Amino acid sequence: MPAWPAYGLLLLLLTACQSLPPGAQACRVERAAVLPVRLDHGILLVPGALNGQPVQLVVDTGAEGSLVSSEAVARFGLERDTTRRTTINSVGGQITMANAWVRSFIVGNLETPQVSLAVGPLPALGEPASPLAGLVGADYLAAFDIEFDLPRQRMALYRLVDCGPGFSPWSDPAMVLPLRRFRRGLLLLDVQIDRQPVVALIDSGARLSSIRTEVAERLGVGPAALAHDPLTAGSGVDLIAMAGRLHRFAAVRIGSEVLRDQEIEVAPLALPGADMLLGADYLRTRHVWLSYSTQRLFLAPAR
């Protein structure tokens, strides 16, 4: 399958290292794929293929595992994997799903042959040019560093070789924030909401940034404060309906950036290890590098 066209990403090369000690290896950044990204109802979609058939795939850093939809299993005649099932944690709770064999799983121009993937539901969207058939989760993405440049509708996957704690994708990042790896490649970030510490899960699959109801109460936002806020509705991969409220918090601090009068959904999320989701509504206006290899978040300077 031909490679997707390459775009000139703003990557400054990192191969030049200063005064390396004898025997030390230079940091190498290898671009594995460049993909066009589009947002459909707040969901990040990239092109791919299942068994050679073009499809659209959801990019979800907040999902522990990749999956294909039951519609894709029927449409492409995927064989069920009767020896394996996948258990993942959803915002609605834990769910165990059957698996299916995919002879060829392609993300952009990267092919993974003969892979067993969970079979589960996908968000309801409009009618894409090619079918929405799967989701690319942290189990896949954690093998790379990811550059999201959603204002320019593109993302890229990179492999880092011999890159230590001094790595930076750009010569002058606006911010560099430490991340923590959790479970199968999920990324956690410490933020502050109304001057209180909150642990955020970076979740490109969430349309809206959301905070757990009990955490909002800890911040002083209880039922009375939420009563007149707009209602929201959603669900996780378990399809359990979940109602929430869209509340304006006075200040959200992420690194040195302070977001004033910020809307965040308050919902009864099941998020072991995290207090909130930092979703696509945050990523869509920024140029971001998620470094799984060095466990840091880089934000590019404003253009």
Side-chain angles (χ1 to χ4, degrees):
M1 183 175 182
W4 297 102
Y7 297 85
L9 293 182
L10 302 178
L11 175 70
L12 300 181
L13 250 258
L14 317 150
T15 50
C17 291
Q18 299 177 356
S19 58
L20 290 172
Q25 298 295 315
C27 169
R28 298 201 318 274
V29 178
E30 301 171 353
R31 190 169 65 190
V34 181
L35 304 101
V37 180
R38 69 183 185 88
L39 283 165
D40 189 328
H41 295 77
I43 300 296
L44 274 62
L45 301 178
V46 297
L50 294 180
N51 291 355
Q53 301 298 313
V55 297
Q56 295 288 305
L57 301 169
V58 178
V59 178
D60 191 350
T61 60
E64 291 181 64
S66 303
L67 62 82
V68 292
S69 69
S70 55
E71 291 81 7
V73 171
R75 184 183 197 124
F76 302 116
L78 304 182
E79 180 184 351
R80 294 284 185 169
D81 182 355
T82 57
T83 66
R84 194 173 310 177
R85 297 172 68 83
T86 300
T87 299
I88 63 172
N89 290 278
S90 164
V91 293
Q94 195 175 80
I95 180 173
T96 299
M97 297 178 286
N99 277 33
W101 285 108
V102 180
R103 187 176 66 254
S104 172
F105 181 61
I106 294 177
V107 180
N109 61 343
L110 295 176
E111 181 178 17
T112 304
Q114 199 64 14
V115 59
S116 178
L117 296 177
V119 179
L122 292 173
L125 303 177
E127 290 295 330
S130 53
L132 178 59
L135 178 148
V136 186
D139 59 334
Y140 183 96
L141 298 170
F144 304 93
D145 275 21
I146 308 175
E147 185 177 29
F148 287 112
D149 193 356
L150 299 188
R152 296 190 176 189
Q153 298 184 311
R154 60 199 182 194
M155 66 173 281
L157 303 177
Y158 295 88
R159 294 187 179 96
L160 270 60
V161 181
D162 295 322
C163 296
F167 163 78
S168 177
W170 309 300
S171 60
D172 59 343
M175 280 195 292
V176 183
L177 304 177
L179 300 172
R180 298 191 300 280
R181 290 278 292 266
F182 179 66
R183 287 189 170 149
R184 290 179 284 182
L186 303 183
L187 295 174
L188 301 179
L189 172 69
D190 291 324
V191 305
Q192 287 186 3
I193 298 181
D194 294 347
R195 300 188 176 183
Q196 298 298 314
V198 173
V199 178
L201 170 65
I202 299 178
D203 187 357
S204 65
R207 295 180 173 95
L208 295 174
S209 295
S210 305
I211 190 167
R212 292 165 50 199
T213 303
E214 59 269 31
V215 177
E217 290 184 6
R218 170 166 63 83
L219 301 177
V221 180
L226 296 171
H228 300 292
D229 288 335
L231 283 166
T232 61
S235 65
V237 295
D238 49 16
L239 290 185
I240 296 175
M242 189 179 304
R245 295 277 185 174
L246 198 60
H247 184 78
R248 289 187 180 274
F249 290 84
V252 178
R253 177 181 287 275
I254 300 176
S256 60
E257 182 182 22
V258 179
L259 308 174
R260 302 288 182 185
D261 199 27
Q262 187 69 22
E263 286 189 332
I264 300 178
E265 180 187 43
V266 179
L269 308 173
L271 295 175
D275 300 320
M276 69 170 292
L277 305 174
L278 191 62
D281 54 341
Y282 177 80
L283 297 173
R284 70 184 300 167
T285 60
R286 291 167 172 82
H287 188 177
V288 174
W289 183 294
L290 288 180
S291 181
Y292 286 90
S293 58
T294 66
Q295 297 186 43
R296 284 180 293 169
L297 167 68
F298 298 88
L299 291 165
R303 296 195 288 264

